Amino acid sequence: MTGRVALPRKRQTLSTGEARRIALAAQGFDRPRPESATDTRHFRRAMRSLGVLQLDFVNVLVPAHFLVLWSRLGPYDRTRLEQFLYDSGEYTEQWAHEASIVPVSHWPLLAHRRADFRLGKNNPILGLPNREQYLAEVLALVRKRGAVTSSELDPVAGPRRRAGDWQRSIPRRALDYHFGRGQLAVRERLPNFQRRYDLPERLIDDSHRTVRANKADADRELLSQAAASLGVATQHDLADYFRMPPRDVAPRIPELVEQGELQPVQVHGWREPAYLARSARVPRRIGGASLLSPFDPVVWFRPRAERLFSFHYRIEIYVPRAKRKWGYYVLPFRLGDRLVARVDLKADRHKKVLLVQTAHSESGIDEDAGVASLADELHALREWLQLESISVKSRNRFSRLLARSIVAY
C-alpha cells in the first residue's frame, strides 16, 4: 500500500521529485487500480480527482477521454461510464478545458463564459439572411419536440464544402451555438458520438441551474478546483486548467493565499513561483504504470509536463508524416513517478490488432523494467479494447525489446 503524507503547511521548498509525486497523487495515481469490478464509486472518485474531463473523439485508438479513465481505473465498462456521466444528474458537458464534462455544480461557475459565447467570424450562420429567426426556431423546436440531434433537423444550405474539408452542418452549428450560450445542454452522446441536445431545465437540477455567482467568486472556485487537481502549480498551470485568461487569474491568487487555499512554495528548477493546494499530499512513492492520453491533465499543459518530468511532448496528428519525430498518435508511458517512454498506438479493429507503430524510451531509464511494464499495459489495453493480438511494427532497439517481451508474455 502506498503511504500518503500530508505536507506541513509551512513548507517553503519542494524538490522536483516531491512535486511530481504531489501532482500524480492529486490526479489519483497514488492508489492502485481497482481489483474488483469497476462501479460508480470508482467513476465518482476518479472524476473528483480530475475535476474536468476533456472530450476528444479522435478514434485512432480509443476516444481520448475514455483512455483518461482507463489510466486510473484499468478495464471498465464504457457503457456504464457513459450512463454514469449522462444519466446520474451529477455531470454536464460544458466549455471548460475545451469541450469537457464537469460536475453540475460548475454550471453557475461557468455562466460568464456562456454569456461571452459568440458566433465565430467565419461561422456560416452569420451569412443567413434570417439568422436570428432561424436560431429562435431551432430553440423552439427543441422546446416542443424534446431532445434532438443535428441530423434530426431539416437541412439548411451552407457554403459548398471543398475537397478534404471537415464541415459542420448549419443545424449542428445552430445547436452548438445554443449549447455555448447555455440555452441547450447535452442529454447524451450516441454511439457515433453525436450530441443529443435538450433544454437545461430538463437535465440540470434547479439547485445548480438557478444559482448565480459573481465572476470573482466563480473564478476563485474554479482556481481552487484546479489547484486541488494539480496539487502544486504555477499561476499559468492554474489558469490553463479551466482555460482562464491570466488577467482574470492574477488578482485571485493572492486572495486564495489569504484564505489558506493556496500556499506559495518554490520548486527546485522552476523559474516561476508555485502554489501548493490545501489538499496536497506527497506519497512516499508512486507505484504502478499507465499509458496516458494526449489530453490527460498530467500532460495536457506541455510546459508543465516538461517542468515535472523533463518530457518534451507534442502531439503530431497535424504534422506532415515526413516531419514527425515520434509518430501520429503518441502516448506517454508512466512508470512510477516518471514518464519513461512514448508509444505510437493504433487499434486496427478490422484485423483485431493493437498496432505499436513505434516505441521510444526516454534517456536514462531501466529499459528492461520499462519494457516489461509496458508489455503488461499493452496486453491489458488490448484485452479491454477487445483486440486479439499486438503487432510491433518499428524495429528500433526499444521496439525490438518490447516485441520480444510481448511475445514472451
Side-chain angles (χ1 to χ4, degrees):
M1 188 75 173
T2 301
R4 303 177 191 174
V5 178
L7 281 166
R9 292 304 298 166
K10 297 301 182 184
R11 187 71 176 272
Q12 300 296 315
T13 61
L14 297 170
S15 69
T16 308
E18 287 174 321
R20 278 199 303 272
R21 297 198 299 278
I22 291 167
L24 289 168
Q27 285 288 312
F29 286 109
D30 60 333
R31 59 179 70 93
R33 288 167 168 168
E35 294 182 0
S36 59
T38 308
D39 58 27
T40 55
R41 294 171 302 162
H42 302 109
F43 296 146
R44 189 174 290 114
R45 186 175 67 188
M47 289 297 295
R48 189 178 300 119
S49 294
L50 289 164
V52 56
L53 180 64
Q54 181 182 345
L55 297 171
D56 184 86
F57 291 93
V58 173
N59 206 17
V60 176
L61 179 67
V62 63
H65 52 286
F66 291 126
L67 191 64
V68 171
L69 273 297
W70 154 269
S71 298
R72 289 151 180 79
L73 301 177
Y76 65 87
D77 186 324
R78 281 172 46 180
T79 299
R80 192 171 185 179
L81 171 68
E82 290 190 289
Q83 289 171 345
F84 170 68
L85 293 176
Y86 289 97
D87 295 344
S88 68
E90 297 180 32
Y91 297 92
T92 183
E93 284 196 26
Q94 282 286 275
W95 284 104
H97 184 97
E98 304 297 334
S100 305
I101 292 177
V102 296
V104 288
S105 58
H106 284 24
W107 179 267
L109 305 182
L110 297 167
H112 59 282
R113 194 166 300 183
R114 295 191 297 272
D116 290 342
F117 190 88
R118 298 289 185 271
L119 292 170
K121 63 180 181 179
N122 295 319
N123 194 310
I125 288 179
L126 292 174
L128 296 178
N130 59 340
R131 67 173 179 272
E132 295 300 331
Q133 178 184 342
Y134 175 69
L135 289 169
E137 288 173 351
V138 167
L139 200 57
L141 185 147
V142 178
R143 185 172 291 110
K144 179 180 179 181
R145 183 190 296 183
V148 301
T149 65
S150 59
S151 60
E152 293 173 312
L153 302 185
D154 293 335
V156 175
R160 180 175 296 179
R161 185 179 303 181
R162 294 174 296 183
D165 274 0
W166 181 80
Q167 179 76 42
R168 290 189 180 108
S169 67
I170 295 291
R172 166 68 187 276
R173 289 178 180 274
L175 292 167
D176 283 350
Y177 170 74
H178 288 308
F179 168 73
R181 295 284 293 175
Q183 295 163 314
L184 292 178
V186 177
R187 174 65 188 86
E188 63 179 337
R189 289 276 184 165
L190 301 184
N192 64 357
F193 310 134
Q194 263 195 305
R195 285 169 167 164
R196 187 180 292 278
Y197 303 81
D198 206 345
L199 300 178
E201 51 264 41
R202 295 173 182 159
L203 303 176
I204 298 172
D205 191 88
D206 285 352
S207 62
H208 300 293
R209 191 180 56 80
T210 60
V211 170
R212 299 292 179 264
N214 69 56
K215 190 171 185 304
D217 289 341
D219 286 350
R220 277 190 293 270
E221 286 292 325
L222 291 174
L223 286 169
S224 291
Q225 173 64 72
S229 294
L230 292 169
V232 60
T234 67
Q235 179 176 306
H236 285 94
D237 298 338
L238 292 168
D240 177 75
Y241 211 77
F242 286 97
R243 292 291 167 87
M244 300 169 68
R247 66 179 180 275
D248 292 347
V249 171
R252 306 283 81 87
I253 298 290
E255 296 167 355
L256 290 170
V257 170
E258 179 67 23
Q259 293 172 11
E261 293 297 319
L262 298 178
Q263 177 189 334
V265 292
Q266 182 64 48
V267 179
H268 180 72
W270 291 19
R271 295 181 179 179
E272 296 180 59
Y275 299 91
L276 191 65
R278 180 199 289 271
S279 59
R281 59 192 187 276
V282 55
R284 294 183 178 90
R285 63 181 294 273
I286 295 287
S290 54
L291 288 159
L292 300 178
S293 158
F295 305 106
D296 193 295
V298 173
V299 295
W300 70 18
F301 190 46
R302 310 312 191 204
R304 176 177 167 83
E306 291 188 40
R307 274 185 272 115
L308 282 171
F309 302 101
S310 299
F311 190 83
H312 181 81
Y313 182 46
R314 300 291 184 271
I315 189 166
E316 297 181 312
I317 287 177
Y318 303 109
V319 175
R321 180 190 295 269
K323 295 184 178 181
R324 290 178 197 143
K325 183 176 181 180
W326 304 112
Y328 182 76
Y329 197 71
V330 174
L331 276 59
F333 178 58
R334 177 191 67 84
L335 181 60
D337 70 347
R338 303 303 297 264
L339 299 183
V340 301
R342 53 190 87 209
V343 193
D344 184 12
L345 293 178
K346 178 180 180 179
D348 186 332
R349 297 172 183 83
H350 177 69
K351 295 181 179 179
K352 295 188 176 299
V353 176
L354 177 60
L355 297 175
V356 181
Q357 311 279 42
T358 188
H360 299 270
S361 63
E362 295 297 289
S363 61
I365 75 154
D366 179 344
E367 286 195 339
D368 290 335
V371 158
S373 297
L374 180 53
D376 288 344
E377 181 78 347
L378 289 171
H379 276 291
L381 181 62
R382 171 197 60 76
E383 186 174 350
W384 182 57
L385 296 178
Q386 299 182 324
L387 303 173
E388 294 176 354
S389 62
I390 302 173
S391 174
V392 181
K393 298 178 68 176
S394 174
R395 304 312 300 167
N396 63 39
R397 181 179 183 278
F398 187 71
S399 296
R400 291 197 304 271
L401 291 173
L402 179 61
R404 286 200 293 269
S405 186
I406 286 171
V407 169
Y409 183 82

